[in-house]
Amino acid sequence: MARKLRFLKEQMSKAEISTSPTQLNETHLEFDDLEIKLGELEAELTEVNANNEKLQRTYNELLEYNTVLQKAGEFFYLAQRSAAAQQREIEANQSGQTSLESPLLEQEMSMDPSKQVKLGSLSGLVPKEKAMAFERILFRATRGNIFLRQEPIDEPVTDPVSGEKVAKNAFVIFYSGERAKAKILKICDAFNANRYPFPEDVTKQLHAVQEVSGRISELKATIDMGLAHRDSTLKSIASDFEQWNHLAKREKAIYHTLNMLSVDVTKKCLVAEGWSPVFASVQIQDALQRATLDSKSQVGSIFQVLNTKESPPTYFQTNKFTSAFQEIVDAYGVAKYQEANPGVFTIVTFPFLFAVMFGDWGHGICLLLATLYLIIREKKLASQKLGDIMEMMFGGRYVIIMMAVFSIYTGLIYNEFFSVPFELFGKSAYACRDPSCRDATTEGLVKVRGTYPFGVDPVWHGSRSELPFLNSLKMKMSILLGVAQMNLGILMSYFNAKFFRNSLNVWYQFIPQLIFLNSLFGYLSLLIIIKWCTGSKADLYHVMIYMFLSPTDELGENQLFSGQKTVQLVLLLLALVSVPWMLIPKPILLKKQHEQRHQGHQYTMLQDTDESVGAELGEHHDESHDHEEFEFSEVFVHQLIHTIEFVLGAVSNTASYLRLWALSLAHSELSTVFYDKVLLLAWGMNNVIFLIIGIIVFVCATIGVLLVMETLSAFLHALRLHWVEFQNKFYEGDGYKFAPFSFTLIREEED
């Protein structure tokens, strides 16, 4: 049935008839009746197509024949005129005297008709591209004993065999003898030259032309009627096609699912094993009862929960808001059954990290307005076919709106509106000490009031110390955010280990990892906060480098608090201890657990025993055999790789979070360049044309570079920070999705 429906779809596409997008309702047509109907329609259309093909071929042949009659008629007419003129010339010159120029046999041939040779003729059409080769082969095959006349046809004709438009030449061949005719016929076949009979008599020629013209008009009318009948049939099919197609796909999906069922030992019922959410058990039982009643079955369906050691699929209930965030996580890997889901944290952390790189509340508002349009019109847009890029944007509209809201927030902190600062939350804390100072520099500025209440003071923008100040702020902030998120990831590994009752992972993975990360980078974060609070001028680079190179040296002016040297020595010692703590104990303890588990647990099969007991013992024996395969070297190498990866990753991942600072700086500087070097430059020229051009360039640059390319760039970097720096601390992602049978999903796949 699917094949027949595909055939009908192809026929409608050829006839340029589109299926009507009607609302799918429950069809009243029985499935068996639909099968019969589709068979009848296929047979009818096949017959119509076959007849139409034959008629079309005959029609094309007649068109070619008509062309040959016209062209060959012209050849013969011109030849007869030329012969008559020659005859008159010969008769006029017959004065009893022969000149040197007159042919030797002229008098003999004209006087003796029995010696004149009767020539045969063939006419037809040959493809224009083969015309020269056709003429050359004919000349060689007959050794020049032919006369060939060709004439190109003005417009391409439809070839009866291929049905394609082909440029052709009309030809007439005059030959002598049957052997020459046989050769010519073979060459015509080889060159796909279509031959048509041409009567020599003028009366017969006129009669043939009239007859062919009449048949062409009759065939044209017949073909048009056949096509009209076919189109009306296809239009009637088009109105119900989507419904039939959907019904066939549903039945096919049902049969595909039924094929997964196994037959019971009694061969009287089917057994289905599958997964279902616990909360859906009652709904499944109700559905089975309704099915039993509707089908009037005498035997009811049995629903029983099975205990299995197989890992169940993972199913997270999402809505239109959370589904896109869950897709971001699932693109990395589907969570193992009952593993902690990073998607919950991603709802907040993903748009926030994006906004740290994209902080500008002007750009954030533009992004918000564009996304609000998608959300307001989501019902209409959901039912339409969108392009690939638009489809992705529409699917992630709630992710984008969160990104826009957070961008407005971080933009207010950075105090940037298309790179322009505003005094939104009060006046700047700084003012000119005397009238000589200018706004473009911080020299001569003194603090005259309290600190700017929210975000960056607007006076920093445009000052000479803007970049050093903002770079220092954003770089340190990036490290703080990175260390906080990595700590969250390590903390999640504790909850995973606790839930799965894996005490080894708690004591020999979670604790040493937490100690190592915070001994180094947690300590760095603490130093950053202390430096901010105290206003110290200590060089944190120097502190961290010499913490490793010369831990016993005095800190001098880089000391931020009393006892710092002792604290650093303790933290360095803890970091060094945590590495072997992660590496050595876990493989040894795993080996010990394995030996204890299988000590004295070897079974041998009894000779005479019940089948079910034997099978159970056999299963147990197989399981114990599987567990015996414990390679200490493999476990140790795996743990070694994991330890090295974490130790090196702690450094590289922290450095990776500096992308927050780098992209934020790039976004801010690009925005400043477009504002200063395009908009303000055009404004300063005092020319309306230059101003309009400047505004157009500024708008295009803002949309194309800052709102499209920068958005995509920040999105991808935020994605990397979540997948690599955050999720690799706790997320295995080696599960598989729960894929229930659903007619809705079949419909979506169809679309």
Side-chain angles (χ1 to χ4, degrees):
M1 287 174 73
R3 182 193 58 76
K4 290 171 184 175
L5 285 164
R6 284 197 301 274
F7 170 75
L8 296 178
K9 182 76 173 175
E10 286 170 10
Q11 294 301 310
M12 286 188 286
S13 299
K14 286 179 183 177
E16 296 181 352
I17 296 170
S18 58
T19 56
S20 54
T22 52
Q23 189 68 28
L24 290 175
N25 299 317
E26 287 298 322
T27 181
H28 299 292
L29 192 66
E30 290 292 332
F31 199 68
D32 293 337
D33 296 339
L34 177 60
E35 186 180 5
I36 295 164
K37 189 176 181 67
L38 288 177
E40 291 171 353
L41 287 169
E42 185 193 27
E44 183 183 350
L45 283 170
T46 305
E47 187 180 354
V48 167
N49 287 339
N51 292 336
N52 183 56
E53 195 176 331
K54 287 178 185 176
L55 290 171
Q56 197 69 45
R57 182 167 182 167
T58 308
Y59 178 72
N60 291 332
E61 284 176 351
L62 286 172
L63 285 176
E64 282 198 346
Y65 189 18
N66 192 36
T67 305
V68 168
L69 287 172
Q70 289 176 6
K71 291 292 180 183
E74 290 175 10
F75 295 159
F76 276 87
Y77 177 69
L78 292 171
Q80 284 173 355
R81 281 183 60 186
S82 177
Q86 284 181 2
Q87 186 67 29
R88 284 195 298 271
E89 189 179 345
I90 290 167
E91 288 173 358
N93 291 334
Q94 281 180 353
S95 57
Q97 297 176 358
T98 56
S99 63
L100 290 172
E101 289 81 7
S102 60
L104 294 174
L105 298 175
E106 184 182 333
Q107 292 179 350
E108 188 179 350
M109 287 175 66
S110 59
M111 298 301 292
D112 190 359
S114 63
K115 291 184 180 179
Q116 291 181 357
V117 180
K118 182 70 175 175
L119 298 177
S121 67
L122 282 172
S123 56
L125 295 175
V126 66
K128 199 170 187 177
E129 59 184 15
K130 298 179 180 179
M132 293 300 293
F134 179 64
E135 186 172 347
R136 197 178 297 115
I137 294 293
L138 281 171
F139 186 83
R140 289 175 181 173
T142 58
R143 297 182 180 180
N145 292 319
I146 59 156
F147 176 74
L148 173 68
R149 181 76 184 272
Q150 293 194 74
E151 186 74 28
I153 298 168
D154 298 333
E155 294 180 1
V157 294
T158 307
D159 189 71
V161 179
S162 65
E164 296 176 356
K165 289 277 186 184
V166 182
K168 291 192 175 185
N169 283 1
F171 67 85
V172 176
I173 305 169
F174 295 96
Y175 60 88
S176 175
E178 290 299 318
R179 288 182 65 187
K181 183 180 179 181
K183 287 180 181 178
I184 292 166
L185 290 175
K186 287 180 181 178
I187 292 166
C188 287
D189 291 338
F191 279 85
N192 296 326
N194 299 329
R195 304 182 308 277
Y196 297 98
F198 183 81
E200 293 181 10
D201 187 32
V202 178
T203 311
K204 289 181 180 179
Q205 287 175 21
L206 292 170
H207 179 69
V209 169
Q210 289 174 356
E211 186 181 349
V212 168
S213 299
R215 286 187 65 193
I216 285 172
S217 59
E218 287 174 10
L219 271 176
K220 178 69 175 168
T222 308
I223 288 168
D224 288 344
M225 286 175 65
L227 289 174
H229 171 66
R230 189 193 70 178
D231 287 351
S232 65
T233 306
L234 289 173
K235 282 175 183 174
S236 66
I237 291 167
S239 59
D240 296 324
F241 180 81
E242 289 296 334
Q243 203 170 357
W244 295 347
N245 193 37
H246 184 61
L247 184 64
K249 283 188 180 295
R250 281 179 59 158
E251 283 295 314
K252 192 176 178 182
I254 291 167
Y255 276 103
H256 176 68
T257 308
L258 286 173
N259 285 338
M260 297 180 193
L261 275 59
S262 54
V263 184
D264 188 51
V265 180
T266 58
K267 295 187 178 179
K268 292 182 179 179
C269 64
L270 294 172
V271 178
E273 292 183 5
W275 300 104
S276 76
V278 175
F279 66 82
S281 300
V282 178
Q283 295 174 8
I284 294 167
Q285 289 175 358
D286 291 343
L288 289 170
Q289 286 177 3
R290 286 201 310 274
T292 305
L293 292 171
D294 291 346
S295 61
K296 297 176 183 177
S297 175
Q298 296 177 353
V299 181
S301 302
I302 299 166
F303 180 85
Q304 185 177 357
V305 178
L306 296 177
N307 294 319
T308 177
K309 289 185 178 179
E310 286 184 38
S311 178
T314 305
Y315 173 58
F316 294 118
Q317 281 187 290
T318 56
N319 52 36
K320 62 184 180 181
F321 179 79
T322 57
S323 59
F325 291 100
Q326 190 61 52
E327 285 297 323
I328 288 171
V329 175
D330 289 348
Y332 176 84
V334 179
K336 192 170 66 176
Y337 183 62
Q338 293 188 327
E339 184 182 11
N341 182 18
V344 179
F345 305 99
T346 304
I347 294 170
V348 175
T349 57
F350 185 85
F352 178 70
L353 290 184
F354 169 86
V356 171
M357 296 179 271
F358 194 79
D360 188 304
W361 61 280
H363 298 149
I365 287 170
C366 294
L367 211 58
L368 181 68
L369 292 173
T371 319
L372 281 174
Y373 171 78
L374 294 177
I375 291 171
I376 291 165
R377 295 174 62 87
E378 66 180 8
K379 285 187 179 177
K380 188 176 180 181
L381 291 170
S383 60
Q384 293 178 357
K385 288 276 185 184
L386 305 171
D388 290 341
I389 296 172
M390 196 64 190
E391 190 77 44
M392 280 167 39
M393 280 185 65
F394 181 72
R397 59 195 180 279
Y398 289 103
V399 177
I400 300 171
I401 200 167
M402 288 290 283
M403 284 159 35
V405 170
F406 276 92
S407 295
I408 294 169
Y409 170 71
T410 53
L412 290 170
I413 290 176
Y414 296 157
N415 202 346
E416 289 187 12
F417 178 84
F418 296 100
S419 79
V420 181
F422 283 91
E423 293 184 341
L424 292 174
F425 301 100
K427 290 192 174 292
S428 170
Y430 300 91
C432 281
R433 183 175 55 196
D434 50 62
S436 63
C437 77
R438 297 178 301 173
D439 292 337
T441 175
T442 53
E443 282 187 24
L445 289 176
V446 290
K447 193 168 184 180
V448 294
R449 56 181 69 89
T451 307
Y452 191 70
F454 184 83
V456 176
D457 195 309
V459 82
W460 286 107
H461 294 279
S463 65
R464 284 189 297 183
S465 50
E466 177 189 6
L467 271 180
F469 169 73
L470 289 178
N471 280 348
S472 174
L473 169 71
K474 291 178 180 179
M475 182 167 56
K476 293 183 173 88
M477 186 177 67
S478 300
I479 291 169
L480 290 175
L481 292 172
V483 172
Q485 191 174 29
M486 287 191 289
N487 270 307
L488 176 63
I490 294 170
L491 191 64
M492 292 310 299
S493 72
Y494 165 74
F495 287 110
N496 270 339
K498 187 180 177 184
F499 181 82
F500 292 113
R501 295 176 184 175
N502 191 338
S503 58
L504 286 180
N505 279 357
V506 173
W507 291 104
Y508 305 105
Q509 186 170 307
F510 162 69
I511 292 174
Q513 284 183 358
L514 197 67
I515 290 170
F516 183 85
L517 182 68
N518 289 293
S519 295
L520 304 178
F521 300 105
Y523 174 62
L524 175 60
S525 303
L526 182 67
L527 291 181
I528 290 169
I529 294 167
I530 292 171
K531 186 178 177 182
W532 278 348
C533 294
T534 59
S536 171
K537 293 185 179 180
D539 186 357
L540 297 186
Y541 294 113
H542 185 277
V543 172
M544 291 305 295
I545 290 168
Y546 282 92
M547 179 178 170
F548 291 95
L549 297 180
S550 305
T552 56
D553 287 359
E554 292 297 327
L555 295 169
E557 62 179 9
N558 291 320
Q559 185 163 332
L560 285 156
F561 57 90
S562 59
Q564 186 177 349
K565 180 182 168 184
T566 310
V567 171
Q568 287 186 181
L569 283 168
V570 171
L571 291 174
L572 188 61
L573 186 65
L574 284 171
L576 293 173
V577 167
S578 60
V579 176
W581 188 355
M582 267 189 282
L583 175 62
I584 298 166
K586 191 177 175 183
I588 295 169
L589 290 169
L590 281 171
K591 188 174 189 300
K592 190 177 178 183
Q593 280 182 1
H594 176 77
E595 289 171 353
Q596 286 176 352
R597 192 184 301 124
H598 297 285
Q599 189 174 2
H601 284 198
Q602 300 299 324
Y603 295 96
T604 53
M605 291 298 294
L606 300 174
Q607 293 298 322
D608 298 301
T609 182
D610 187 67
E611 283 184 11
S612 61
V613 176
E616 196 172 317
L617 287 174
E619 285 174 12
H620 190 87
H621 180 73
D622 290 341
E623 286 169 17
S624 66
H625 179 71
D626 291 339
H627 284 299
E628 279 173 14
E629 295 176 4
F630 182 88
E631 289 288 338
F632 179 77
S633 58
E634 284 185 14
V635 175
F636 186 80
V637 168
H638 179 267
Q639 190 64 25
L640 178 66
I641 292 166
H642 186 75
T643 304
I644 293 169
E645 184 186 9
F646 180 80
V647 171
L648 297 179
V651 181
S652 64
N653 292 351
T654 307
S656 183
Y657 275 95
L658 292 175
R659 71 185 66 235
L660 297 172
W661 155 53
L663 265 82
S664 174
L665 175 67
H667 186 87
S668 176
E669 289 303 306
L670 277 171
S671 185
T672 304
V673 167
F674 292 145
Y675 179 74
D676 289 345
K677 303 299 179 186
V678 177
L679 199 61
L680 290 184
L681 203 64
W683 182 270
M685 288 185 177
N686 295 324
N687 188 311
V688 177
I689 296 170
F690 280 114
L691 182 61
I692 292 168
I693 292 170
I695 290 170
I696 292 168
V697 172
F698 176 75
V699 169
C700 292
T702 300
I703 292 170
V705 178
L706 296 173
L707 292 180
V708 177
M709 289 172 62
E710 279 286 306
T711 302
L712 182 62
S713 174
F715 180 89
L716 292 174
H717 282 283
L719 198 65
R720 184 238 147 81
L721 289 175
H722 278 78
W723 282 356
V724 179
E725 277 72 29
F726 174 54
Q727 287 178 195
N728 74 348
K729 300 289 184 293
F730 69 99
Y731 188 60
E732 292 184 21
D734 57 352
Y736 62 102
K737 267 189 177 181
F738 175 59
F741 180 83
S742 169
F743 289 127
T744 311
L745 290 175
I746 295 166
R747 181 66 188 160
E748 285 173 2
E749 286 171 13
E750 219 177 296
D751 293 340

